[in-house]
Amino acid sequence: MLFQALILGIAALEHIHGLPTSASQPVGARQYYPDPDDPSLPPSPEDCLRLSFSEPAWSIYDPALLSVNVSDGGTQGDIRFYTRNVATGQHADCRVTNIELNPKGAQLETWHNCNVTDLQFQFLLDDFQVRLRGGWKCTDSDLSFHGQGVWEEPVVQGCLEEWNTPRGQETLCIMGGSYVAATLTSPMDLQPQWPLLPYTPFERAWRCVDRSWDPEFTVHSLEYQHREGSYEFTLDLENHSSGERTVCKSETLDEKGLPTDGSTPWAKCLAENATLDVLLDRTYDILGIRQEWKCSDNVKDIEPEDYRATGLIQARLDCAKPTDKKHKDYTCTLPAALPLTFTGYPAIDKTVLPPFPHTFYNRSCTINSISNTHTLTLNEYKIETADDGKLEGTFSFYNPGPGETWSLSKIPVLNDATWHECTPGKGTELPWQLARCSYALSLHEKSPEIRFDLAWYCDDRDPSNAILFEASAQADLTGKTACQSGICQFPSGITEVALQVTNLTWETGHGVMQKGPILPWV
């Protein structure tokens, strides 16, 4: 033991002084307890929700194990470590003394309590496996999380090689490699994953080949021209890999020839000496660039000349639509905040892009639905009598959860203050994002009221397991509507009304989200 203690002491000194020896590397992987006064702790309530859904985990600090091998072959001892919940920043002291470190039978399921509520751990000496399970809440949120994870194969230093022999010896082990990734078990069963997005490198080499591994595009201008029954667009694009700038006009796309599944086709952008396809999805406001180019920088015999990449970005267009509905021609352009620069995915071997969910990773539908869905905004309201004498309702409302505005156009409505399912009006469709929709309408002169029960999917935390959110919302329309000549709508001076959310629930187990058009990302 004296020799072992000496080795530990030397290793500790080497770690402190930063000597580049192999003996100090395992200890160097060890995390030390963070300063509780660190201003970065704890995370903000928004970060807490984001981390709880994206990367629930515990950090482990200063772990150590004291094992005692007794004559009957059993192994007893102490284990101790500190933890910090990555999402909440809460610290905990987890330790237990004089326990069976290799429990058998029913004792295998023994969980030991840490010094904070609802956090427990197990330890198995056979493979140095630590298991953690616990629950937590984020500030200003009623949502409770519960997760569990395994600290697999930590780096261990200082234990005797023959610790399992019954010689009654005592051994101090120092462990490093300290991180426990958790799987959420409540309120929903998710396998969180980080978003698969292009990144911007910290630095770039000047060679075309090197830049082609981290492709980047800049859109200097984009003009979308809609003609009756067709559309086309003009693009000014700079490819930072090749250094070339292309101004091109797309082929004309016939709206009658578009795919029946609702997908948006790639259009060839016609330009001399440029292989360039562009996708412009007006439903999702998505701009896609797919380009091929050559790198001729004297490395032909070492690396390939031909490169290709795809980039996707959300780009909302400003459209100047005519007030006269008889004219179908109009033009859209990107907002004035140009240029628009974004990174892309290289496809050297024509590999496909990673699967994208329907909701963009750069805006979390899940987290925003939980933290921001306190009110919906009703920004269009109109009740009128159809030719058959029945009532029709047109409603448009903004949902801050997915960040979308949904419109119900001339749906049949009943003025009886009871719940009815939303059904599409003649020649119209309900928004594809709505999994369910029902309404209750009262046009009582003294207390007009509108209520909605809406359900929508989010799949940005786990694309293979969509979450179904459902919200009940209502608005008192007293003094906020005016009825004249058989039409009830917002009076002059009122452009929107808040729909107060009275209940928000969610459920999982829906698998891959099947709703919505098929998006041709590749």
Side-chain angles (χ1 to χ4, degrees):
M1 284 304 296
L2 179 61
F3 177 71
Q4 186 65 31
L6 181 61
I7 292 178
L8 282 173
I10 293 173
L13 286 174
E14 289 172 342
H15 174 69
I16 292 173
H17 294 288
L19 297 179
T21 64
S22 59
S24 66
Q25 289 177 359
V27 174
R30 190 176 178 216
Q31 286 184 217
Y32 292 89
Y33 203 55
D35 182 0
D37 297 324
D38 187 335
S40 66
L41 306 175
S44 68
E46 294 77 13
D47 285 341
C48 179
L49 285 173
R50 175 179 59 80
L51 291 169
S52 294
F53 277 107
S54 298
E55 195 184 24
W58 292 275
S59 295
I60 295 186
Y61 302 92
D62 300 338
L65 164 68
L66 180 68
S67 63
V68 181
N69 300 314
V70 294
S71 58
D72 61 3
T75 303
Q76 291 182 316
D78 310 340
I79 181 172
R80 68 175 187 271
F81 57 91
Y82 299 102
T83 70
R84 174 178 173 265
N85 187 305
V86 171
T88 64
Q90 184 184 38
H91 301 144
D93 183 355
C94 300
R95 65 178 64 211
V96 65
T97 60
N98 299 320
I99 63 167
E100 179 61 46
L101 296 172
N102 253 23
K104 308 296 180 183
Q107 291 187 3
L108 184 64
E109 301 302 322
T110 301
W111 287 89
H112 308 286
N113 293 322
C114 299
N115 71 334
V116 297
T117 304
D118 199 9
L119 181 61
Q120 298 177 310
F121 72 96
Q122 287 180 332
F123 175 73
L124 299 179
L125 187 57
D126 274 341
D127 51 8
F128 292 94
Q129 187 182 93
V130 177
R131 300 173 183 174
L132 277 174
R133 70 179 184 187
W136 67 93
K137 293 185 68 173
C138 294
T139 305
D140 301 329
S141 173
D142 295 330
L143 182 61
S144 297
F145 294 91
H146 202 277
Q148 62 184 22
V150 178
W151 177 19
E152 297 177 342
E153 299 182 357
V155 179
V156 181
Q157 181 178 0
C159 297
L160 294 178
E161 292 182 1
E162 298 179 353
W163 60 267
N164 202 27
T165 57
R167 294 181 299 178
Q169 293 188 350
E170 184 176 279
T171 300
L172 177 64
C173 307
I174 303 297
M175 295 183 288
S178 39
Y179 190 79
V180 176
T183 294
L184 290 182
T185 57
S186 174
M188 48 196 68
D189 185 14
L190 292 180
Q191 295 289 335
Q193 67 178 55
W194 276 111
L196 298 172
L197 281 179
Y199 63 93
T200 301
F202 292 102
E203 60 185 38
R204 294 180 183 276
W206 287 104
R207 293 173 60 238
C208 173
V209 169
D210 294 330
R211 294 196 303 272
S212 296
W213 288 99
D214 297 306
E216 185 176 59
F217 304 99
T218 293
V219 177
H220 291 276
S221 66
L222 171 65
E223 184 176 283
Y224 169 91
Q225 296 126 357
H226 185 273
R227 307 286 184 261
E228 185 172 2
S230 66
Y231 67 89
E232 59 189 22
F233 41 83
T234 303
L235 180 72
D236 183 351
L237 177 75
E238 180 180 359
N239 183 325
H240 290 260
S241 297
S242 63
E244 297 176 352
R245 186 163 171 175
T246 303
V247 179
C248 62
K249 188 172 184 177
S250 77
E251 59 184 329
T252 302
L253 297 175
D254 186 354
E255 290 182 331
K256 293 182 180 179
L258 296 179
T260 57
D261 59 11
S263 63
T264 301
W266 288 91
K268 291 191 177 299
C269 215
L270 308 177
E272 186 177 356
N273 300 324
T275 303
L276 176 62
D277 296 330
V278 181
L279 177 147
L280 192 59
D281 191 308
R282 298 297 314 286
T283 303
Y284 293 88
D285 291 320
I286 298 168
L287 172 63
I289 301 295
R290 190 167 63 188
Q291 189 174 25
E292 297 182 9
W293 65 93
K294 287 183 177 293
C295 287
S296 302
D297 49 4
N298 301 319
V299 291
K300 181 178 180 179
D301 297 331
I302 302 174
E303 295 175 290
E305 271 193 321
D306 298 316
Y307 292 87
R308 60 189 63 85
T310 302
L312 300 167
I313 193 170
Q314 193 166 27
R316 300 185 184 278
L317 301 181
D318 289 339
C319 299
K321 292 187 177 182
T323 56
D324 185 357
K325 295 184 178 180
K326 294 182 180 180
H327 293 84
K328 304 296 184 180
D329 298 351
Y330 61 91
T331 301
C332 304
T333 59
L334 284 173
L338 289 174
L340 181 65
T341 299
F342 56 103
T343 52
Y345 297 92
I348 304 304
D349 299 318
K350 293 189 176 181
T351 53
V352 298
L353 292 173
F356 270 72
H358 292 82
T359 47
F360 282 100
Y361 278 126
N362 58 4
R363 178 185 175 89
S364 175
C365 175
T366 301
I367 295 175
N368 280 296
S369 293
I370 291 173
S371 58
N372 295 333
T373 314
H374 307 299
T375 61
L376 308 181
T377 302
L378 183 67
N379 44 38
E380 185 177 4
Y381 171 86
K382 187 176 183 180
I383 307 295
E384 55 190 326
T385 304
D387 295 338
D388 58 4
K390 297 181 179 179
L391 293 180
E392 294 178 338
T394 297
F395 312 102
S396 179
F397 35 82
Y398 172 73
N399 185 336
E404 297 172 337
T405 297
W406 302 328
S407 296
L408 308 176
S409 180
K410 294 187 176 182
I411 67 171
V413 294
L414 295 174
N415 176 26
D416 58 5
T418 58
W419 287 102
H420 301 279
E421 183 180 351
C422 302
T423 56
K426 186 177 180 180
T428 66
E429 296 181 355
L430 298 180
W432 72 264
Q433 295 94 331
L434 286 176
R436 291 195 293 268
C437 172
S438 57
Y439 75 92
L441 173 67
S442 172
L443 297 177
H444 193 280
E445 184 178 353
K446 294 184 178 179
S447 56
E449 183 184 49
I450 184 73
R451 291 181 289 164
F452 288 103
D453 191 46
L454 308 171
W456 65 94
Y457 285 103
C458 293
D459 64 353
D460 60 326
R461 294 295 97 181
D462 184 350
S464 63
N465 189 3
I467 304 171
L468 179 66
F469 286 88
E470 186 162 6
S472 299
Q474 63 184 34
D476 182 359
L477 300 177
T478 304
K480 299 173 183 175
T481 63
C483 298
Q484 188 176 4
S485 302
I487 298 177
C488 296
Q489 57 189 350
F490 291 150
S492 177
I494 295 181
T495 58
E496 61 183 40
V497 170
L499 288 163
Q500 299 296 329
V501 173
T502 56
N503 187 37
L504 177 68
T505 59
W506 56 88
E507 58 186 42
T508 54
H510 294 278
V512 177
M513 188 165 68
Q514 300 296 331
K515 295 184 67 64
I518 298 172
L519 304 180
W521 297 127
V522 296

